[in-house]
């Protein structure tokens, strides 16, 4: 089927050189000397090319793989420190004209319960999220004519306008169908943060296997070109992703790195975030498990991505179990969702109940703990959970690049903002245990900061948060 309304950017071409990927991945394994040289580049703050990344993907044997894991831990610890940014997904509607073979919301699944949140339902979902302490959301839409650019922009504006108590949503990111340049402009004008579109798999034959040609998503190049159009429209904050388990994880890791390089080369800024969900069971879904990614390979993949694109945020979602999430945080994940409900209306209708209704969900979650429980565990493990949105609000774009590349950026901005947003959470929403753990972490962090005018200002602001209604006091 030909879709006559497809618009391509001037850059539209298939920059995924699949034949080269296969050739590189067919080379003999890299030895420890080569792997050490490559990780030294990353630790020296140089991103890796897809070909260099392929060499890390071709490393074999526990000792060589440990060099990679260890380097990713070092990069995360020494460059990014202990902050983890928290967000929540909110499904707005699951009408969908596509028929992705792995998704419970595909049009051919008669078991899917279709629903779009009404204005009132949306308000109740947002109020509930705010009352739990969330500040950053990603809104998720199916692909359907009803969810056009104007609709998405309207929903974004509504979300920003809803406040309950001291709650507010400060950053709204979007995961929705690709738009044309005009559509992306309209959504940007509503004040979105990141626009996220996953290619699902960069392996074109596999892409066509899972996305029928008579659907809009069936056009590989139209989707691959989507973020070129978004960036042409002025959205410089975009998220890429692949659904791991559709094809060889090594190939799709190279696809992600090549996509990051393509955006960097053409727009001067790479993707803001990379997501790497693994396929999970979903309602009515029968998938090929040949390419399922083991936990060991998943850890390796995250470590290699950390090293290959060191200034891009890595998002790990609640599809993964608490145990896996805890383990891979150390390899360089910078954002996680928490307290997530992915059924339509789930935040008010299911609350924190740890049950799932597969007929109403796109896939199954592995981590259904509440935000407070996740916060508590992060704090106990020595992480600084952050709801910081300062750069976006001050127009400081390319934030991951800045934290990575500008000496002292994390000390000057990220840690103080992480501490004030954590304190807001502790004062306004936390359980007694989480508040205790959070206060201890704040004391430790303050004790480690050398005396300075900024530290005094931070202490003054924290006092204000404890004693008054003043909120959102970012540096
Ligand atoms: Fe629709 Fe997205 Fe599911 Fe595909 S993955 S069927 S586009 S909701
Ligand atoms: Fe991110 Fe900027 Fe906040 Fe640092 S200060 S955590 S880079 S938004």
């Amino acid at each position: 089927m030909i879709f006559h309304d497809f618009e391509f950017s001037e850059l539209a071409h298939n920059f995924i050189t699949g034949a080269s990927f296969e050739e590189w991945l067919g080379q003999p394994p890299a030895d420890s000397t080569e792997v050490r040289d490559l990780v030294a580049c990353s630790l020296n703050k140089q991103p890796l090319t897809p070909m260099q990344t392929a060499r890390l993907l071709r490393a074999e044997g526990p000792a060589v793989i440990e060099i990679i894991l260890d380097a990713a831990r070092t990069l995360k610890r020494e460059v990014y420190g202990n902050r983890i940014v928290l967000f929540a997904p909110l499904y707005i509607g699951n009408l969908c004209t596509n028929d992705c073979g792995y998704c419970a919301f595909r049009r051919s699944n008669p078991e899917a319960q279709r629903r779009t949140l009404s204005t009132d339902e949306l308000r109740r979902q947002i109020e509930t999220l705010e009352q739990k302490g969330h500040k950053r959301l990603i809104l998720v839409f199916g692909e359907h004519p009803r969810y056009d650019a104007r609709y998405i922009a309207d929903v974004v504006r509504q979300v920003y306008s809803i406040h309950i108590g001291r709650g507010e949503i400060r950053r709204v990111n979007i995961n929705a169908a690709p738009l044309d340049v005009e559509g992306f402009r309209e959504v940007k004008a509503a004040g979105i943060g990141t626009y996220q579109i996953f290619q699902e798999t960069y392996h074109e034959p596999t892409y066509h296997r899972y996305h029928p040609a008579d659907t809009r998503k069936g056009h590989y190049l139209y989707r691959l070109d989507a973020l070129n159009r978004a960036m042409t429209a002025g959205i410089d904050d975009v998220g890429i992703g692949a659904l791991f388990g559709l094809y060889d994880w090594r190939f799709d890791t190279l696809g992600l790195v090549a996509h990051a390089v393509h955006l960097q080369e053409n727009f001067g800024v790479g993707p803001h975030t990379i997501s790497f969900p693994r396929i999970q069971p979903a309602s009515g879904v029968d998938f090929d498990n040949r390419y399922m990614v083991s936990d060991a390979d998943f850890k390796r993949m995250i470590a290699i991505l950390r090293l290959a694109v060191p200034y891009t945020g890595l998002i790990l979602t609640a599809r993964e179990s608490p145990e896996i999430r805890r383990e891979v945080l150390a390899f360089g994940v910078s954002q996680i969702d928490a307290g997530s409900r992915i059924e339509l209306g789930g935040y008010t209708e299911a609350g924190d109940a740890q049950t799932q209704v597969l007929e109403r969900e796109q896939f199954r979650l592995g981590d259904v703990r509440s935000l407070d429980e996740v916060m508590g565990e992060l704090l106990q493990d020595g992480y600084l959970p952050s709801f910081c949105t300062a750069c976006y609000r001050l127009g400081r774009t390319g934030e991951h690049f800045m934290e990575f590349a500008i000496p002292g950026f994390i000390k000057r901005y990220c840690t103080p903002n992480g501490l004030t947003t954590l304190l807001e959470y502790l004062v306004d929403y936390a359980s007694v245990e989480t508040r205790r753990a959070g206060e201890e972490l704040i004391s430790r962090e303050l004790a480690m900061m050398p005396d300075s005018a900024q530290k005094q200002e931070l202490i003054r602001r924290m006092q204000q948060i404890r004693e008054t209604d003043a909120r959102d006091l970012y540096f």
Side-chain angles (χ1 to χ4, degrees):
M1 181 179 289
I2 297 172
F3 292 96
H4 293 286
D5 59 335
F6 274 179
E7 177 199 274
F8 292 89
S9 78
E10 286 175 4
L11 291 167
H13 73 285
N14 187 359
F15 50 83
I16 300 299
T17 51
S20 320
F21 290 6
E22 303 281 12
E23 189 197 320
W24 297 334
L25 293 173
Q27 305 271 321
D31 62 21
S32 59
T33 309
E34 187 180 0
V35 168
R36 276 205 177 83
D37 288 347
L38 288 168
V39 305
C41 286
S42 304
L43 292 174
N44 221 359
K45 301 192 172 186
Q46 283 166 24
L48 301 180
T49 63
M51 203 201 296
Q52 288 173 315
T53 308
R55 297 306 295 146
L56 290 187
L57 290 163
R58 283 297 291 126
E60 277 175 18
V64 185
I65 289 167
E66 192 48 41
I67 297 172
I68 294 171
L69 299 180
D70 200 45
R73 278 189 215 104
T74 304
L75 186 63
K76 157 82 178 158
R77 198 175 49 238
E78 292 183 359
V79 177
Y80 290 104
N82 59 347
R83 281 164 312 117
I84 299 287
V85 170
L86 289 144
F87 69 96
L90 176 63
Y91 279 66
I92 302 296
N94 67 355
L95 304 182
C96 196
T97 54
N98 289 325
D99 208 25
C100 311
Y102 44 80
C103 176
F105 292 164
R106 68 191 186 280
R107 71 180 184 201
S108 63
N109 180 12
E111 291 166 25
Q113 295 174 14
R114 305 285 166 187
R115 184 169 165 194
T116 302
L117 296 183
S118 67
T119 307
D120 249 20
E121 287 170 336
L122 176 68
R123 185 179 45 73
R124 285 200 297 276
Q125 296 298 303
I126 298 298
E127 288 177 351
T128 305
L129 283 158
E130 288 181 356
Q131 283 168 326
K132 291 178 193 298
H134 282 291
K135 300 283 187 271
R136 306 171 65 115
L137 297 185
I138 181 150
L139 307 184
V140 186
F141 299 79
E143 178 157 356
H144 191 273
R146 180 162 170 193
Y147 312 139
D148 61 7
R150 175 163 303 173
Y151 184 90
I152 294 172
D154 279 351
V155 173
V156 170
R157 288 195 185 91
Q158 281 177 56
V159 171
Y160 281 128
S161 73
I162 297 167
H163 306 285
I164 187 160
R166 288 169 172 162
E168 62 177 343
I169 300 302
R170 297 175 183 161
R171 180 172 172 124
V172 177
N173 299 330
I174 300 294
N175 179 309
L179 303 171
D180 58 17
V181 173
E182 210 35 60
F184 279 121
R185 281 204 185 99
E186 190 165 352
V187 175
K188 178 182 164 60
I192 60 158
T194 308
Y195 202 102
Q196 186 185 72
I197 296 173
F198 298 167
Q199 189 63 26
E200 317 294 9
T201 175
Y202 289 89
H203 187 250
E204 199 169 345
T206 304
Y207 186 91
H208 291 304
R209 190 169 322 137
Y210 283 101
H211 306 101
D214 66 344
T215 63
R216 292 180 69 85
K217 197 163 168 181
H219 202 302
Y220 176 89
L221 185 60
Y222 182 70
R223 196 165 183 90
L224 192 64
D225 182 50
L227 295 176
N228 294 335
R229 299 193 298 278
M231 292 186 111
T232 304
I235 298 180
D236 48 14
D237 221 326
V238 299
I240 62 174
L243 180 55
F244 279 83
L246 296 181
Y247 187 59
D248 182 351
W249 65 273
R250 292 177 179 83
F251 188 102
D252 277 321
T253 305
L254 288 180
L256 290 168
V257 173
H259 201 162
V261 169
H262 166 84
L263 294 174
Q264 177 75 43
E265 283 177 356
N266 287 285
F267 297 97
V269 50
H272 185 76
T273 53
I274 297 183
S275 304
F276 33 82
R278 280 193 292 184
I279 279 193
Q280 303 288 347
S283 169
V285 172
D286 187 16
F287 55 88
D288 176 352
N289 58 12
R290 236 178 333 160
Y291 296 115
M292 296 295 280
V293 184
S294 69
D295 289 351
D297 288 342
F298 191 58
K299 281 181 237 169
R300 238 166 110 181
M301 184 272 290
I302 295 172
I304 291 172
L305 273 179
R306 178 67 301 149
L307 295 167
V309 283
Y311 49 78
T312 300
L314 298 184
I315 298 183
L316 182 73
T317 72
R319 283 184 185 229
E320 299 298 335
S321 68
E323 297 72 34
I324 288 286
R325 300 229 288 177
R326 192 175 197 179
E327 202 176 340
V328 301
L329 280 182
F331 298 130
V333 167
S334 52
Q335 293 190 28
I336 60 170
D337 56 333
S340 301
R341 306 297 316 188
I342 55 168
E343 65 272 38
L344 274 294
Y347 290 105
T348 52
E349 291 160 25
D352 285 338
Q354 305 202 346
T355 56
Q356 296 182 73
V357 189
L358 279 181
E359 285 68 36
R360 291 161 53 192
E361 294 172 343
Q362 193 181 21
F363 51 84
R364 184 184 281 277
L365 287 182
D367 186 352
V368 290
R369 294 173 299 165
S370 68
L371 174 60
D372 194 72
E373 284 173 88
V374 175
M375 295 284 288
E377 183 180 280
L378 288 171
L379 289 163
Q380 263 155 25
D381 289 349
Y383 289 105
L384 165 53
S386 170
F387 295 91
C388 179
T389 53
C391 287
Y392 163 68
R393 295 155 79 70
L394 288 167
R396 286 195 302 240
T397 50
E399 65 195 68
H400 288 295
F401 179 75
M402 288 190 289
E403 43 175 354
F404 182 73
I406 299 178
F409 191 91
I410 290 174
K411 278 200 185 95
R412 257 175 86 196
Y413 299 108
C414 307
T415 305
N417 289 332
L419 290 173
T420 51
T421 55
L422 170 62
L423 183 61
E424 288 181 356
Y425 176 83
L426 298 178
V427 172
D428 294 339
Y429 307 104
S431 65
V432 175
E433 301 76 47
T434 301
R435 180 155 184 180
R436 190 177 311 122
E439 295 282 8
E440 283 169 16
L441 184 117
I442 288 174
S443 304
R444 285 201 303 275
E445 292 283 334
L446 285 176
M448 282 189 296
M449 269 182 206
D451 261 336
S452 69
Q454 199 201 22
K455 180 174 177 180
Q456 291 314 313
E457 176 59 19
L458 173 63
I459 291 171
R460 194 187 67 76
R461 289 184 186 189
M462 294 181 102
Q463 186 100 348
Q464 263 186 299
I465 292 169
R466 288 182 203 284
E467 294 172 1
T468 73
D469 279 340
R471 295 290 178 274
D472 206 12
L473 308 171
Y474 44 81
F475 289 95

